[in-house]
Each structure stands twice: as C-alpha cells, then as structure tokens.
C-alpha cells in the first residue's frame, strides 16, 4: 500500500509536469493552458450531467425497493473522475474521462467488482474479514448475544424505552 501511495503522490505529478512542459514546448504555453482550462470545463459539465443521470437512476431503483449497488459504484467513479478532470494534467484527464464517460465507466466498474469485491468475499470466506450486524440479534459482547430490554441502559446518556400514548379528553 505504501508503494502505491508513493507512486500516486510522487511519480504521477512528476509525469504530469513532464508532459505539461513537453506539450507546452511543442504547442506553446497559451495553448497548453487553454487545453487545461477546456478539459476542466468539459469535464465538470460532463461529470455533472452523468452524476445527475445516475442520481435519477438511484432514486428510481430505491422507489422500486431495489438496492442500487451498481449505480452507487458508478457514482463514486463519476465523482472521482470529475475530481481528476479538475486537476491539471494529461494523465489525470485521460483517467478522469475514462471514469466519467458511460462506456468506459461500465468497464471500470466491472473491473472493480471483479477484483475488489471478489477479494472481500474471499477474505470473508477465509475468515480474514469479519462483518458484524445488529439485525435482530441484540448486542454482541464476548461472542454472546444480549437482547435489549425496554428498561435497559444503552450507555451513560441513553435509555431504550417503549411508550404508549393515551389521549384523555378533559
């Protein structure tokens, strides 16, 4: 993980600077700056339109009672791509456009599902990753479950309680 962070924060910016200077020497500084500003504007508007489209799809699936996992992953890709498009540089622009454009975004989402999510599932099967939920089980303490009672104190500031409203006509 450390090596990946070193590459992201040192090698990528160095490559971006080299490319910016090289392109600037070939086409001129003003044209290079215009390209950077243009990709930022186009990228921001594209990220906004794709993000809104995904938001409507997410709302539609939630209204149908379905979990929009695929759209949420694509939403994160659009957000990341939009951020990359706002940073100056050619490598980040290429990666940002691939994350924002629908065709390549679907390919990237499939790659992420097949690598990261499969790795998480494998880790859960091997016992390296544990997931704990509170779905009707009560509290889990020392591998035993204690079911909450209405008069049970949850922490020093919170009580669990039930109440019943009785309307009285006076």
């Amino acid at each position: 993980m450390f090596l990946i962070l070193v590459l992201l924060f040192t090698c990528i910016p160095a490559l971006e600077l080299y490319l910016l200077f090289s392109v600037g020497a070939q086409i001129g500084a003003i044209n290079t700056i215009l390209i950077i500003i243009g990709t930022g504007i186009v990228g921001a508007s594209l990220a906004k339109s794709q993000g809104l489209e995904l938001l409507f799809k997410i709302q539609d699936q939630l209204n149908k009672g379905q979990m929009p996992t695929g759209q949420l992953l694509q939403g994160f890709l659009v957000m990341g791509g939009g951020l990359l498009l706002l940073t100056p540089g050619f490598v980040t622009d290429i990666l940002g456009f691939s994350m924002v454009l629908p065709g390549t975004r679907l390919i990237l989402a499939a790659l992420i599902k097949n690598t990261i999510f499969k790795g998480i599932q494998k880790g859960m099967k091997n016992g390296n990753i544990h997931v704990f939920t509170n779905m009707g089980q009560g509290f889990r303490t020392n591998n035993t479950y204690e079911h909450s009672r209405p008069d049970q104190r949850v922490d020093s500031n919170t009580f669990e309680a039930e109440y019943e409203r009785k309307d009285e006509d006076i």
Side-chain angles (χ1 to χ4, degrees), residues 49-66:
S49 67
Q50 292 297 309
L52 286 174
E53 182 180 326
L54 281 169
L55 182 63
F56 293 138
K57 287 181 182 178
I58 289 170
Q59 287 176 341
D60 186 47
Q61 281 194 329
L62 287 174
N63 288 337
K64 292 178 182 176
Q66 301 170 346

Side-chain angles (χ1 to χ4, degrees), residues 19-21 23-25 27-37 90:
L19 289 174
L20 284 172
F21 287 137
V23 170
I27 65 171
I30 300 296
N31 290 334
T32 305
I33 291 171
L34 290 175
I35 289 173
I36 291 170
I37 292 171
F90 296 110

Side-chain angles (χ1 to χ4, degrees), residues 166-170:
K166 295 182 181 181
D167 293 327
E168 294 180 15
D169 294 328
I170 297 179

Side-chain angles (χ1 to χ4, degrees), residues 13-114:
L15 177 64
E16 291 286 10
L17 284 172
Y18 173 75
L19 289 174
L20 284 172
F21 287 137
S22 297
V23 170
Q26 295 295 320
I27 65 171
I30 300 296
N31 290 334
T32 305
I33 291 171
L34 290 175
I35 289 173
I36 291 170
I37 292 171
T39 57
I41 292 170
V42 170
S45 65
L46 187 60
K48 179 182 176 183
S49 67
Q50 292 297 309
L52 286 174
E53 182 180 326
L54 281 169
L55 182 63
F56 293 138
K57 287 181 182 178
I58 289 170
Q59 287 176 341
D60 186 47
Q61 281 194 329
L62 287 174
N63 288 337
K64 292 178 182 176
Q66 301 170 346
M67 187 64 179
T69 54
Q71 278 73 25
L72 289 173
L73 176 59
Q74 289 186 44
F76 284 119
L77 285 172
V78 168
M79 183 180 68
L83 289 174
L84 287 174
L85 286 166
L86 290 175
T87 60
F90 296 110
V91 175
T92 54
D93 286 346
I94 291 168
L95 185 58
F97 275 119
S98 69
M99 293 169 75
V100 171
L101 293 173
T104 53
R105 184 177 67 236
L106 290 172
I107 294 169
L108 288 173
L111 287 172
I112 290 171
K113 281 183 184 178
N114 288 334

Side-chain angles (χ1 to χ4, degrees), residues 80-153:
L83 289 174
L84 287 174
L85 286 166
L86 290 175
T87 60
F90 296 110
V91 175
T92 54
D93 286 346
I94 291 168
L95 185 58
F97 275 119
S98 69
M99 293 169 75
V100 171
L101 293 173
T104 53
R105 184 177 67 236
L106 290 172
I107 294 169
L108 288 173
L111 287 172
I112 290 171
K113 281 183 184 178
N114 288 334
T115 55
I116 295 174
F117 293 155
K118 298 273 181 170
I120 291 172
Q121 288 175 344
K122 184 179 178 184
M124 289 170 66
K125 287 180 183 176
N126 292 342
N128 296 331
I129 297 175
H130 302 280
V131 178
F132 299 102
T133 63
N134 193 19
M135 302 291 286
Q137 295 291 329
F139 298 94
R140 182 172 184 180
T141 57
N142 298 330
N143 296 327
T144 61
Y145 289 98
E146 299 173 10
H147 292 280
S148 58
R149 296 183 314 263
D151 61 341
Q152 185 173 0
R153 188 178 193 106

